[in-house]
Amino acid sequence: MFATYLIGLREGLEATLVVSILVAFLVKSQRRDRLPQVWGGVGLAVALSVLFGWLIEYTSTSLLSRSEDRELFEAITSVAAVVFVTWMIFWMRRAARTIAGELRGKLTEALAVGSLAVAGMAFLAVIREGLETALIFYSAAQGAAGDSGPLLALIGGIVTAVVLGVLLYASALRINLSKFFTWTGALLILVAAGILKYGVHDFQEAGVLPGLNHLAFDITGALDPSTWYAALLAGMFNVTPAPTVLETIAWVAYAVPVLLLFLRPARRKPAPTATTTTVTERGADTGAEAEAASTPQRA
C-alpha cells in the first residue's frame, strides 16, 4: 500500500503546486474574478481522471471475458504506466526551476483570450497528473482485487499532498522540494520497475512471452510470502521470492540504468560569453523568479 500512497502523494503534490501557482498569480494580479474558472477546470480534470480510472477497471473486469485477454490488457497498461512514470520523473527533474514562469506566461495569454481559455489552461495543467495517477494506480494495485487498501492509500496520499500544498501556499511549512522530488522520484523508479516486472509476468501468462515456468531463483524458504516484510516488498516494488528469468531481467534492465540516469548530477551550463551576457542573465533572472515562486518555502 505504501507504493500507491507514494503515487498519490507525488502526483497529488505536483498537481497541487501547479494549481497554487495559478491561484497565486491571479491573486497577485488582482484577477480574483478568474478563480472560479480555474477551479472549474480543476474540477473537470479531477472528474475525468476518476472516470478514466473507472473505465480502465471496467474494461478489465467486465468487457474482457477471457483470462488471457485480461492478462494482456493488464500487461499493456503496466508498460504504459512505466512509460508515464519515467517521463514524469525526468520531466519534473528538468522543469522544476522553470515551471512557475511557464505557467504564468500561459495564464497571461489565457487571461487575454477569456474565461474559457483560463478554465482550459487549468484543466490541461491538472488532467495530465490525473490521468497518470489513474493509470499508474491501476497498474500498481493489480492483484489486490477486492482489497480497498490500495485505494485508501492512494486517497491518503492525495489528501496529504493537498494539505502540504495548502500549507506551502500559506508559507506555514518549509520543505526542500528539490530533495523531496529526488527521493520520491528514486522510489517511484523502483515502483515502476516492479510494475514492469508485473507486466512481463502478465505477458507470459497471456502466452505472448515464453518462460513462465523458468524461474531465475527461488528463495521462498528465506523470504516466506506469508510474512509482513515479504508482503511489503511485493506491494512496494513487486519483489517476489520466485520470479521468472524474464521478470528478473526486465526489473534489473530498467531499474539500474534509469536510477543511474536520474541520480546523476545535472550538468552545469558553461559561463556566458560577453556577447550573450544580457540574454543569459535575463533567462537566469526568469529561472530564479520561477524557482522562488514555485518553491518559496525552500530552506
Side-chain angles (χ1 to χ4, degrees):
M1 288 192 297
F2 178 76
T4 53
Y5 176 83
L6 179 64
I7 292 169
L9 177 62
R10 168 80 185 218
E11 296 284 348
L13 189 56
E14 286 186 20
T16 302
L17 289 175
V18 168
V19 174
S20 67
I21 291 171
L22 298 179
V23 171
F25 178 76
L26 289 176
V27 171
K28 292 180 179 180
S29 302
Q30 303 297 322
R31 298 301 304 270
R32 293 176 180 268
D33 58 307
R34 296 302 189 187
L35 288 177
Q37 285 79 34
V38 170
W39 294 120
V42 171
L44 180 60
V46 172
L48 288 182
S49 299
V50 173
L51 178 62
F52 178 67
W54 172 83
L55 182 61
I56 295 176
E57 181 66 23
Y58 179 76
T59 300
S60 176
T61 58
S62 301
L63 298 183
L64 302 176
S65 57
R66 297 172 63 243
S67 60
E68 293 83 359
D69 294 336
R70 287 194 296 270
E71 297 292 347
L72 183 59
F73 178 77
E74 291 176 357
I76 293 174
T77 55
S78 294
V79 173
V82 171
V83 172
F84 276 118
V85 169
T86 308
W87 177 84
M88 176 264 295
I89 59 178
F90 279 99
W91 174 84
M92 194 62 187
R93 180 175 184 264
R94 182 182 66 254
R97 290 179 176 271
T98 60
I99 185 173
E102 293 176 0
L103 285 174
R104 288 200 300 270
K106 291 179 180 178
L107 187 55
T108 300
E109 297 174 359
L111 286 170
V113 175
S115 300
L116 288 179
V118 174
M121 195 258 174
F123 170 80
L124 293 175
V126 176
I127 190 64
R128 178 180 61 85
E129 306 293 344
L131 296 181
E132 285 180 2
T133 302
L135 182 60
I136 298 168
F137 168 73
Y138 172 79
S139 300
Q142 290 182 39
D147 183 5
S148 60
L151 179 59
L152 294 176
L154 178 74
I155 295 174
I158 294 175
V159 171
T160 303
V162 172
V163 172
L164 288 175
V166 171
L167 292 176
L168 289 172
Y169 179 80
S171 299
L173 181 67
R174 293 183 178 274
I175 181 174
N176 190 321
L177 288 179
S178 178
K179 290 185 178 179
F180 172 84
F181 284 120
T182 297
W183 282 105
T184 56
L187 288 174
L188 276 181
I189 289 173
L190 297 179
V191 171
I195 294 175
L196 179 62
K197 176 175 173 287
Y198 197 103
V200 170
H201 184 80
D202 282 338
F203 275 126
Q204 291 178 312
E205 289 192 338
V208 176
L209 293 176
L212 181 60
N213 298 317
H214 297 164
L215 301 181
F217 52 84
D218 189 348
I219 56 172
T220 307
L223 188 63
D224 187 355
S226 63
T227 59
W228 67 269
Y229 50 85
L232 181 64
L233 288 174
M236 288 178 59
F237 311 122
N238 198 24
V239 175
T240 54
T244 67
V245 173
L246 282 181
E247 287 179 57
T248 305
I249 292 175
W251 198 98
V252 174
Y254 174 85
V256 173
V258 175
L259 268 176
L260 291 176
L261 287 174
F262 179 73
L263 295 176
R264 70 175 181 176
R267 292 183 178 180
R268 293 185 177 181
K269 294 183 179 180
T273 61
T275 57
T276 59
T277 299
T278 302
V279 176
T280 306
E281 287 179 350
R282 184 179 303 168
D285 291 341
T286 303
E289 180 186 358
E291 183 181 12
S294 59
T295 59
Q297 66 292 334
R298 183 173 178 179

